[in-house]
Amino acid sequence: MLTVEKLTKTYKTGDKALSDVSFTVPKGQVVGLIGPSGAGKSTLIRCVNRLVEPTTGAVLLNNLDITALPGGQLRRARRRIGMIFQEYALVERLTVMENVLSGRLGYVPFWRSFLRRFPAADIENAFRLLDRVGLMEHADKRADALSGGQRQRVGIARALAQEPELLLIDEPTASLDPKTSRQIMRLIVEICAERDLPAIINIHDVALARQFVQRIIGLRAGRVVFDGPPDALDTAVLTTIYGEEDWTAMRKAAEEDRDAERDEAERMVGLV
Ligand code: ADP
């Protein structure tokens, strides 16, 4: 379980990015973090693992107070938090397998990792993870030979290799086409359910968030202005989060997406 308590972040420039943000994410729950640009989404995600240092407030992961940890202990605690990035952050020249194993680096003594020698159990586990994300036959390919969707799958497998207790996911589908975006979102949600993992996904695509996550937190100007199920995101709430921006277009896109997906499913089972 992740608990964020009265989190505030004021940057040195004086920008107040977060004000009194509090929420709890139970095990297995996937939260979509939405809000207009500059609302504080990236800052919030980065405050959870202290890539950005919060100004006040606390972050607790399964009762461990992340905000109170000194350097060495913070590094150990970070192993328990898997991050998945928009730009994948893979090592291009390494193979898919090596990229996944790099998720274990925090656990393997430096000299062994330097020689790229990982314990057999780690390698077996990496194969299982590659199988789970659908990349078994690509294990030996170089990362730079993969498509965007495949690269994101490697990112997911690498984060899981850490055996995390929490996933922080930053714009996972920003560089992907709509169909691949849906596949990646579905994979993330299924994996969190299987492993009882809590997750926060910073996602700019409201339609996609509504379709896949169980809970949405809406930020505006650093404050939580909505926290509830996707069904409760009505016109009034979206206007509170986004102001008068034209989010009706987003809703229409969501309906079209759902139709396309149903067609695809029907084709797969031979209905049409
Ligand atoms: P979002 O991810 O929702 O677009 P951010 O967390 O990036 O929002 O930004 C929230 C606010 O904090 C913005 O006003 C932004 O300008 C400011 N901000 C973000 N990063 C920094 C930084 N490194 N230094 C100063 N201000 C920052």
Side-chain angles (χ1 to χ4, degrees):
M1 184 170 86
L2 172 74
T3 306
V4 171
E5 265 174 20
K6 297 193 165 144
L7 205 65
T8 300
K9 174 64 187 178
T10 307
Y11 284 104
K12 284 200 189 84
T13 50
D15 286 271
K16 194 157 195 193
L18 297 174
S19 301
D20 198 22
V21 170
S22 298
F23 58 88
T24 295
V25 187
K27 282 188 176 169
Q29 188 177 67
V30 179
V31 173
L33 193 59
I34 65 168
S37 180
K41 304 182 296 295
S42 314
T43 302
L44 176 53
I45 287 219
R46 283 166 177 70
C47 278
V48 169
N49 62 3
R50 283 175 59 193
L51 285 178
V52 167
E53 203 61 59
T55 307
T56 60
V59 173
L60 293 101
L61 179 58
N62 299 329
N63 296 324
L64 177 70
D65 185 352
I66 305 276
T67 26
L69 297 176
Q73 287 178 40
L74 174 62
R75 272 192 298 282
R76 272 195 296 282
R78 278 198 187 127
R79 288 181 204 159
R80 298 158 61 171
I81 304 176
M83 276 206 97
I84 299 170
F85 303 90
Q86 169 188 347
E87 292 303 337
Y88 327 113
L90 304 181
V91 184
E92 301 293 340
R93 289 173 305 104
L94 295 187
T95 64
V96 165
M97 179 50 124
E98 286 166 331
N99 269 283
V100 174
L101 283 169
S102 74
R104 300 297 299 165
L105 282 183
Y107 295 95
V108 176
F110 174 73
W111 63 272
R112 290 190 70 167
S113 61
F114 183 69
L115 295 171
R116 294 202 205 155
R117 279 182 22 198
F118 288 86
D122 283 0
I123 294 169
E124 268 170 43
N125 187 47
F127 272 121
R128 266 197 300 276
L129 292 172
L130 283 176
D131 192 27
R132 177 62 189 90
V133 301
L135 286 180
M136 195 61 144
E137 67 273 33
H138 299 292
D140 294 329
K141 268 200 189 153
R142 269 171 58 140
D144 55 11
L146 301 178
S147 69
Q150 289 171 332
R151 293 162 68 82
Q152 195 54 287
R153 287 169 192 271
V154 179
I156 294 169
R158 181 185 52 191
L160 294 175
Q162 268 176 261
E163 284 164 20
E165 293 168 37
L166 168 72
L167 286 181
L168 299 176
I169 311 176
D170 198 13
E171 296 277 12
T173 61
S175 324
L176 303 177
D177 64 71
K179 185 176 170 197
T180 310
S181 298
R182 287 197 298 275
Q183 290 169 341
I184 292 294
M185 284 298 287
R186 183 173 301 116
L187 181 65
I188 289 171
V189 169
E190 282 175 3
I191 283 176
C192 288
E194 284 164 17
R195 297 180 166 237
D196 217 13
L197 262 176
I200 303 180
I201 307 187
N202 173 3
I203 185 163
H204 76 285
D205 185 333
V206 178
L208 203 60
R210 288 172 92 144
Q211 203 177 344
F212 287 101
V213 304
Q214 299 131 295
R215 174 178 169 197
I216 289 182
I217 292 182
L219 279 186
R220 180 171 189 173
R223 291 185 184 276
V224 175
V225 292
F226 174 81
D227 184 349
D231 290 350
L233 268 186
D234 59 15
T235 309
V237 172
L238 283 165
T239 307
T240 309
I241 301 171
Y242 288 96
E244 297 301 326
E245 236 176 81
D246 185 17
W247 43 261
T248 46
M250 300 184 213
R251 197 165 51 178
K252 191 154 178 295
E255 280 157 13
E256 283 167 7
D257 270 5
R258 265 197 296 274
D259 288 350
E261 194 152 3
R262 197 193 51 225
D263 292 349
E264 194 184 311
E266 285 177 354
R267 261 198 307 280
M268 277 167 68
V269 295
L271 285 175
V272 288

